[in-house]
Amino acid sequence: TLTQRLVTHAFMSHKVGLGAEHLGLHGAICVLLRWNTVVPHDTITWVPYVLPDAEASAQKEDLILWPPLVVIHNISMSNNNPVVKVVAIEGIEAFLRCKGFVGGKIKVCLGKPADQSIMVVKFLGTFTLLGMAERLHQYFAENNRERIEFERKTYNGKSNDKWEAGIQGDEVEQLPYGCVGVAEDLDRLDFHTKKYSVVKRKKEIQDLANAPVKLDDR
């Protein structure tokens, strides 16, 4: 196919000065089409390999947006839901404080579209704040509010589940789903956030954070 020829060209091209761009294009398309991005160094001719669901999902989740952020979906505002429950930025901020996510290094803003159906929790680009973003992601996951569940609910046109938010005591609210932002979330960001976001491999960031400190032998 045309797409496969494009990906093959991106991987096999040796044009000087464009190596990183070509490999980046190769990786991005492979993730989109659920093809394996890992290619042995001695590969002569690249051939696509379709990954199982679990591996394809893990590969997608590895391409995170940097500085780290969490994308929040207000599922009650979907077109299929007759009862709209708007969660304002102030509500998200109150929820974050309740769960211990506080400090001037976190900012909540509207995503795209700017109708409060998508909101973004932005963190500074540090290892510590990446860990905090992942803790928030884990909280959503533990309450069945992660990306896979969101996609399943919106695909089925159902959005009636309730979630213990902790915003106002024990009050149960129609509240969002959330996940650490990955490459496919770029179009859900406002112009300013998108402009200053880049795609990085989470594994490479974690490897850098865990690398031993090199001491000067002099």
Side-chain angles (χ1 to χ4, degrees):
T1 65
L2 180 60
T3 301
Q4 184 172 330
R5 290 200 297 270
L6 173 62
V7 178
T8 301
H9 166 76
F11 177 76
M12 304 300 295
S13 176
H14 300 291
K15 193 168 184 178
V16 177
L18 295 177
E21 287 81 358
H22 277 91
L23 290 178
L25 175 62
H26 170 269
I29 297 177
C30 284
V31 169
L32 181 64
L33 297 180
R34 304 167 65 88
W35 294 342
N36 190 9
T37 60
V38 179
V39 182
H41 294 295
D42 57 353
T43 297
I44 298 176
T45 302
W46 177 83
V47 177
Y49 169 68
V50 179
L51 293 172
D53 290 347
E55 292 182 37
S57 178
Q59 182 172 263
K60 179 174 66 175
E61 296 294 328
D62 185 52
L63 293 180
I64 65 171
L65 298 179
W66 190 265
L69 52 85
V70 171
V71 178
I72 293 180
H73 300 269
N74 184 8
I75 195 172
S76 74
M77 294 186 68
S78 67
N79 293 331
N80 297 315
N81 191 0
V83 180
V84 175
K85 184 69 175 182
V86 176
V87 183
I89 286 180
E90 292 77 13
I92 297 298
E93 290 174 338
F95 159 71
L96 293 174
R97 288 194 298 271
C98 178
K99 299 304 177 184
F101 298 95
V102 296
K105 300 176 181 179
I106 301 175
K107 181 180 180 181
V108 181
C109 67
L110 295 176
K112 181 182 177 182
D115 59 0
Q116 300 187 76
S117 62
I118 295 178
M119 281 177 275
V120 179
V121 183
K122 301 195 294 186
F123 301 80
L124 290 182
T126 67
F127 298 140
T128 300
L129 273 296
L130 172 60
M132 186 176 291
E134 290 184 324
R135 283 200 294 113
L136 179 56
H137 173 98
Q138 185 62 29
Y139 181 85
F140 284 118
E142 290 172 352
N143 287 274
N144 294 321
R145 288 300 188 273
E146 72 276 28
R147 185 185 305 276
I148 293 177
E149 188 67 13
F150 167 74
E151 292 174 349
R152 185 179 71 83
K153 289 292 184 183
T154 52
Y155 177 79
N156 291 334
K158 298 177 181 179
S159 55
N160 296 320
D161 285 355
K162 294 180 181 295
W163 175 42
E164 184 68 32
I167 289 182
Q168 298 178 5
D170 294 328
E171 182 179 354
V172 178
E173 298 281 356
Q174 287 275 14
L175 269 179
Y177 289 59
C179 47
V180 167
V182 296
E184 70 175 31
D185 292 316
L186 276 170
D187 286 340
R188 297 185 173 108
L189 307 182
D190 64 280
F191 174 80
H192 183 269
T193 303
K194 183 176 181 179
K195 180 179 179 180
Y196 292 100
S197 293
V198 296
V199 177
K200 289 182 176 289
R201 300 192 75 96
K202 181 167 66 174
K203 185 179 184 304
E204 292 179 357
I205 295 174
Q206 292 172 335
D207 289 345
L208 180 61
N210 296 328
V213 177
K214 294 183 179 180
L215 300 177
D216 193 339
D217 295 331
R218 290 180 299 174

